[in-house]
Amino acid sequence: MTHVEDELTSQPECWSRAAAQAAEHAPALPAPGERVAVVGCGTSYFMAQAIAALRETAGQGETDAFAASEFPHGRAYDRVVALSRSGTTTEVLDLLGRLKGTTRTTAVTADPVTPVMSLADEPVVLDHADERSVVQTRFATTALTLLRAHLGLHTEAVVEDARTALEAPLPEGLVDCAQFTFLGRGWTVGLAHEAGLKMREAALAWTESYPAMEYRHGPISITTRGTATWMLGPAPDGLARQVRDTGGRWIEGTLDPLAELVRVQRLAVAVAAARGLDPDRPRHLTRSVVLEP
C-alpha cells in the first residue's frame, strides 16, 4: 500500500477527531462577525475557497480566499487564517511575517515544530492528520472538517459517508476514461478544483474543474465518449442530461461532497496504478514548496 492509500483510508477517524477538538480550538478560529481571509497554496488554497464559501453562507461574516502569494495587502481583515500542512511553505511564511503585529493570524498546520508556529499569532496543530505523502489527502480534508465543525456544519453522517466512499466500488470502467471534469457549486467549487488537482498530481490525468454552470459556457465542448464529468454536490437542473447527450459519462455525487472527494482520491490512485505510476512520487513535486532566497 502506498502512503497516499494508507493516509486517505484514515480520513473518517481523522475527521471525527478534528470535530471533537473544534470547541478546544474555537478561540483561535474566526468568530462570528469577523472579516476574514483564508489563505493557502495548492490543495490548501482550494480548501480555503471551500471554507470561505461555507462561512459566508452560514452568515458568520465576510470571508475571502486567496492563494498566499496573491493576498491583497491593501485590504483590511480582522483575521487571516493560513492553511499549511508542512508549516514551511515560502509564500505562507512570507505572508505571515508581513502581517505580524498588524493583523491577527491563525495557522492550521500538521507539524508543531515548523516556522509557522512562531509566525502565526494562534497556531492550530492537527498532527494526527500529518502525512508522509507528497500528495495531500487527509490533512486537507481534516482541516476543512475542523472549520465545518466550528461553524456547526459537521455531523457524524459525513463520517459515515466517508466510510461508504472507502468501501463502495468505483463505477466500472471509470479508470479507463481519457479525460475527467469535476464540477461544484458554492463551497464545493473548491472541492472540484481539489479533485482535479489530485488526478493531475497522482495520475498525470487530463482533468479540468469548474463551477457547474460555467461548465456549460464552453468547457462542455470537450465532453464526448470516453470522458467523465463528476458533480460534487447537487447538480443544476438539466445538466446531467446535457452531459449524457454528448456521449460523455456523468457521475452523480450522492454522498456528502467531502466524502465524494475521498472517492476521487481513490480514483486518482487507481488511475495511477493502471498507468504504471507511483502516486507517492508525483512528477516534479515535493512535499513542501520552499523557494531559495
Side-chain angles (χ1 to χ4, degrees):
M1 182 177 289
T2 64
H3 296 320
V4 174
E5 289 175 282
D6 181 54
E7 289 158 0
L8 74 84
T9 58
S10 70
Q11 288 175 107
E13 292 73 24
C14 288
W15 297 1
S16 290
R17 186 167 173 180
Q21 294 174 338
E24 171 191 340
H25 292 305
L29 299 175
E34 286 186 337
R35 190 166 190 253
V36 174
V38 190
V39 302
C41 302
T43 289
S44 292
Y45 171 44
F46 298 141
M47 295 300 103
Q49 291 178 329
I51 291 166
L54 280 170
R55 187 172 184 269
E56 281 212 355
T57 302
Q60 292 286 298
E62 184 175 348
T63 315
D64 296 323
F66 302 103
S69 59
E70 301 301 316
F71 182 80
H73 286 279
R75 196 175 298 179
Y77 291 98
D78 299 312
R79 183 191 302 268
V80 172
V81 178
L83 308 180
S84 177
R85 175 181 65 173
S86 69
T88 60
T89 304
T90 296
E91 301 99 297
V92 171
L93 299 182
D94 287 349
L95 175 60
L96 291 175
R98 185 167 175 180
L99 294 175
K100 197 166 185 65
T102 63
T103 303
R104 191 176 184 184
T105 58
T106 295
V108 181
T109 186
D111 191 338
V113 291
T114 51
V116 76
M117 297 294 292
S118 60
L119 287 173
D121 297 322
E122 296 171 283
V124 173
V125 179
L126 301 176
D127 51 356
H128 68 279
D130 202 359
E131 298 163 329
R132 295 179 63 185
S133 61
V134 173
V135 175
Q136 281 200 55
T137 55
R138 71 183 181 192
F139 173 75
T141 60
T142 301
L144 178 52
T145 296
L146 175 71
L147 271 297
R148 283 182 89 181
H150 176 66
L151 294 170
L153 301 175
H154 172 83
T155 69
E156 277 300 301
V158 179
V159 176
E160 289 305 312
D161 274 2
R163 293 194 175 100
T164 299
L166 291 170
E167 295 166 0
L170 293 170
E172 186 175 351
L174 189 60
V175 168
D176 300 321
C177 287
Q179 189 275 341
F180 302 87
T181 299
F182 298 96
L183 307 178
R185 302 185 82 182
W187 75 280
T188 72
V189 172
L191 299 188
H193 293 327
E194 169 60 8
L197 180 62
K198 286 288 90 66
M199 295 292 293
R200 288 189 290 273
E201 288 178 328
L204 303 182
W206 172 20
T207 60
E208 300 183 356
S209 54
Y210 303 96
M213 288 306 295
E214 283 301 301
Y215 171 67
R216 190 62 188 84
H217 292 269
I220 196 173
S221 62
I222 66 166
T223 306
T224 187
R225 295 188 184 280
T227 70
T229 302
W230 191 323
M231 183 73 210
L232 283 80
D237 291 342
L239 186 57
R241 176 186 55 78
Q242 291 178 332
V243 170
R244 294 188 181 108
D245 286 347
T246 70
R249 188 163 184 177
W250 173 261
I251 307 298
E252 189 76 41
T254 58
L255 303 173
D256 180 89
L258 196 57
E260 285 292 321
L261 181 59
V262 174
R263 294 180 72 206
V264 177
Q265 293 169 351
R266 289 181 57 211
L267 175 63
V269 171
V271 172
R275 298 181 179 184
L277 301 171
D278 182 352
D280 281 342
R281 293 175 173 81
R283 190 168 66 182
H284 310 316
L285 298 179
T286 56
R287 188 174 180 278
S288 175
V289 176
V290 179
L291 304 177
E292 294 296 330

